[in-house]
Amino acid sequence: MPITTRVALVRGAPGTYETATVELDDPRQGEVTVKLAASGLCHSDDHVATGDVPVAVYPYVGGHEGAGVITAVGPDTPGYEVGDHVVFSFLPACGKCEFCAQGLSNLCDLGASLLTGARADDPTSFRMTENGNPVGQQCGISTFAEYTTASVDSVVKIGKDIPLKAAALVGCGVPTGWGSAVNSANIRPGATVIVMGIGGIGANALQGAAHAGATTVIAVDPVPFKREQAKLFGATHAYATIEEAADFARSLTNGQGADATIVTIGVVKGEHVGEALASIRKAGTVVLTGLGDITAAGAPIALGDLTLMQKRLQGSLFGESNPRHDIPNLLRMYQAGQLKLDELVTREYTLDQVAEAYEDMHAGRNIRGVIVFD
C-alpha cells in the first residue's frame, strides 16, 4: 500500500516551496523506496520555482541531489537490498541506449522524462499523489522528501562507511562542477582557468581545475564571502568581475587570456557567454554549465573572434560525468582526503526551511545548503 511522506513542493511557477504531505507508491519492478538522510539545495530546483525551467505538472516536489537508505525493493529487482546506502543521480543511466553504449551516460535517453514528473516508461503514471491527484517528481527522484520511490536507473549504491550528508553532494553539484573542469574544459597541468560564479557548482569547478593541474585558478564572484571561500577550494586569485579576471589572465599569458573559462553563474544570461568568450586565448574553451531561462536564445558573441581565433564554446551536462563510475570515484577521493565535501556545506536546514534556504542562496550566504533529515 502507498505510504505518506512529507515533502517540499511548489504549486506553480513562479512560486515558493512549501511543506506538504503526499502519498508515495510502493516500489514496482526496477524501483526502490529510500529514506532520505540528506539533500543538497541546488539552484536548479530554484529555477523550477521561478519558472526558468518549466515542468509538465504541478504540484511539483523538488530535490535532485540526495542520499539515503533503501527501505523497500520492488519485486524482481536483483542487486538491491533493504539497508543499502545509495546516492541519487539526477540523470538516470539505463546502460542500454545508444548514448550509454558510447560512454555518454549523462546523455542517456531516459533524460527526456526528467521534467515530466512521471515515470519514464509511462507519462500517465506518477509515484507521488495528493488526494488522488498527480504530483510531479523532480528528475524522477524528488529528494526534498522524507521518503521517495525511484527507478534503480537513478540510484548508485555506496559503502555504508561513507557519511550520507557528504555523499548527497555527489549526486549533482560536485560532479557537475568538477567534471566541467576536468572533462568538458579538458584542463591540463600549467593552465590558466577562470571560473565565473562560486556557488555549489563553481566551488567544485575550482576543485576540478586544481586537481587537473592548473597553475592559476581565478574565481569570479561579486560576493566577498564567496571570493574568500573560493580560496579553500583551489582558487589562487579572486575578483569581483570577469573584466578584472580577464585582465589578470592576460597579464600572465602575454596578452592572450585564459586557457578556459567555466560559466557556473546561478542565472546565466547571454552577455555572460560573450564575456567568457572574450576572456579566453586563441584555441581556448568556454564551458557553459550554469542555467538561466532555458527558453532564452541569443548571446553577444563576436563570430569572427569565434572562427578566426579557433575558440570553442562547450555545453556541459553533469560535467560529462558517468554516474556509475564518477559518483563512487569522487567518494573515494573524498575518503582519501583529495576532495573537499564537508567544507562545501555552509548551513544545514530542515525540510520546513527550504524556502528560507533559497532566500539565503539568493542573498549569497551559502556555498551549498543541505537539508538534513532526522
Side-chain angles (χ1 to χ4, degrees), residues 8-240:
L9 54 74
V10 287
R11 298 193 178 276
T16 302
Y17 280 99
E18 62 182 76
T19 309
T21 298
V22 303
E23 296 82 40
L24 178 68
D25 272 3
D26 285 335
R28 300 181 181 180
Q29 182 179 8
E31 295 181 345
V32 293
T33 297
V34 176
K35 183 181 189 297
L36 270 296
S39 175
L41 290 146
C42 185
H43 204 137
S44 296
D45 296 297
D46 184 64
H47 285 309
V48 169
T50 63
D52 282 346
V53 176
V55 299
V57 63
Y58 293 99
Y60 195 83
V61 180
H64 64 281
E65 181 182 271
V69 180
I70 292 178
T71 59
V73 179
D76 301 318
T77 305
Y80 298 87
E81 297 179 354
V82 171
D84 283 345
H85 288 203
V86 297
V87 171
F88 287 98
S89 170
F90 85 94
L91 290 174
C94 71
K96 302 172 184 177
C97 70
E98 176 184 358
F99 292 94
C100 283
Q102 292 183 56
L104 300 172
S105 58
N106 65 311
L107 298 177
C108 176
D109 284 346
L110 291 176
S113 68
L114 291 187
L115 300 178
T116 67
R119 286 181 165 92
D121 59 353
D122 184 353
T124 68
S125 178
F126 293 81
R127 299 186 183 98
M128 293 180 173
T129 55
E130 185 182 44
N131 301 319
N133 299 313
V135 174
Q137 195 179 21
Q138 169 77 313
C139 296
I141 54 178
S142 284
T143 60
F144 292 174
E146 293 175 337
Y147 290 84
T148 193
T149 298
S151 168
V152 295
D153 292 328
S154 299
V155 300
V156 177
K157 290 200 297 185
I158 63 170
K160 294 182 180 179
D161 58 329
I162 300 172
L164 288 169
K165 185 174 72 174
L169 302 175
V170 300
C172 173
V174 175
T176 297
W178 190 87
S180 293
V182 175
N183 300 325
S184 301
N186 193 27
I187 292 168
R188 298 181 180 181
T192 296
V193 180
I194 296 172
V195 178
M196 295 172 64
I198 310 304
I201 306 299
N204 290 295
L206 296 174
Q207 292 204 79
H211 289 156
T215 300
T216 306
V217 182
I218 308 168
V220 180
D221 202 288
V223 179
F225 162 71
K226 292 189 174 185
R227 294 200 299 275
E228 186 61 33
Q229 288 291 296
K231 298 171 185 176
L232 177 65
F233 300 106
T236 57
H237 303 80
Y239 291 95

